[in-house]
Amino acid sequence: MRQLHAQVGVVDKADGSAIFEMGNTKVMAAVYGPREVQNKSQQLHDQALVRCEYSMANFSTGDRVRRPKGDRRSTEISLVIRQTMEAAILTHLMPRSQIDIFVQVLQADGGTRSACINAATLALADAGIPMCDLVTSCAAGYLNSTCLLDMNYVEDSAGGPDVTVGLLAKMDKVTLLQMDSKLPMDIFENVMQLAVEGCKAIVHYIQD
């Protein structure tokens, strides 16, 4: 696994915030809430409304490609992060309120999805949002007949299958499982188990 580094309380105005680094991938997350729902038509009477916005800084990849705000990839990753976080947040304790999670990739070198989830978890904890468990994420892949944990961009872009896992470690419950290719079942189980071990290592790091 690449070197991990985390820091909380990095955005003064936010209720909770964190920076999470996995190797050269660096992500910042900020959480606002629970607060009053801004759009009353979206208010949920029995639980909190969780919203998430994902973006990549224009300088994060070194490419000169400007991604329009709200492109399909950003929308999909925002949804993935929101659904993964909703599995951990005790939303029923905060009815008729709203929690906003903002995640921005500052530096991208593979594994951005996982780094975003780990940063969001730390930011939620920093904000004092009640959660049933810490949700952590890690990816693993399969390249040249070898299982690889926490791949960087070069390894990830080599074209091998890539499995991203989100885990509630104490409960031993998978909250996210994404794969962008096909794998034989026995190899898939090995790759997924490697990703789960990565998630557990991240939990230990966060707790320390």
Side-chain angles (χ1 to χ4, degrees):
M1 190 167 211
R2 293 179 292 173
Q3 189 170 3
L4 303 176
H5 177 73
Q7 187 180 348
V8 294
V10 293
V11 181
D12 290 342
K13 295 271 177 72
D15 294 307
S17 59
I19 282 179
F20 199 89
E21 297 177 38
M22 300 174 78
N24 290 326
T25 295
K26 187 173 187 175
V27 173
M28 178 185 283
V31 170
Y32 295 85
R35 56 186 178 181
E36 196 174 329
V37 179
Q38 290 160 341
N39 185 347
K40 293 297 181 190
S41 65
Q42 295 181 327
Q43 184 171 287
L44 305 172
H45 69 89
D46 58 345
Q47 64 184 59
L49 171 71
V50 179
R51 302 196 314 174
C52 181
E53 187 178 303
Y54 162 94
S55 62
M56 286 185 79
N58 290 333
F59 53 79
S60 62
T61 59
D63 296 335
R64 288 176 175 264
V65 180
R66 283 186 68 90
R67 285 190 180 83
K69 197 175 178 187
D71 65 295
R72 277 178 64 180
R73 184 173 184 271
S74 296
T75 305
E76 184 241 335
I77 294 179
S78 296
L79 179 66
V80 165
I81 297 169
R82 178 174 66 79
Q83 290 175 336
T84 306
M85 291 302 136
E86 278 181 331
I89 299 170
L90 301 174
T91 53
H92 64 279
L93 297 179
M94 299 162 284
R96 294 184 294 281
S97 69
Q98 154 180 330
I99 298 167
D100 292 308
I101 305 168
F102 296 93
V103 183
Q104 184 165 48
V105 177
L106 303 178
Q107 201 167 282
D109 184 31
T112 52
R113 199 167 302 211
S114 293
C116 287
I117 289 167
N118 297 328
T121 292
L122 274 173
L124 286 165
D126 186 44
I129 304 288
M131 294 186 282
C132 60
D133 195 0
L134 292 172
V135 56
T136 55
S137 178
C138 193
Y142 192 70
L143 197 61
N144 299 334
S145 306
T146 308
C147 295
L148 296 176
L149 179 66
D150 186 26
M151 296 186 294
N152 64 24
Y153 178 75
V154 173
E155 293 163 338
D156 195 16
S157 57
D162 171 26
V163 179
T164 303
V165 174
L167 185 76
L168 295 169
K170 268 193 309 194
M171 302 166 74
D172 205 25
K173 181 180 175 186
V174 171
T175 61
L176 167 68
L177 180 59
Q178 281 191 312
M179 184 167 71
D180 60 2
S181 184
K182 289 181 178 177
L183 271 175
M185 200 63 201
D186 55 336
I187 295 173
F188 168 75
E189 286 174 357
N190 291 337
V191 174
M192 183 179 166
Q193 188 54 44
L194 187 62
V196 167
E197 293 302 321
C199 292
K200 290 177 179 175
I202 293 167
V203 169
H204 292 316
Y205 171 78
I206 287 174
Q207 287 170 338
D208 288 345

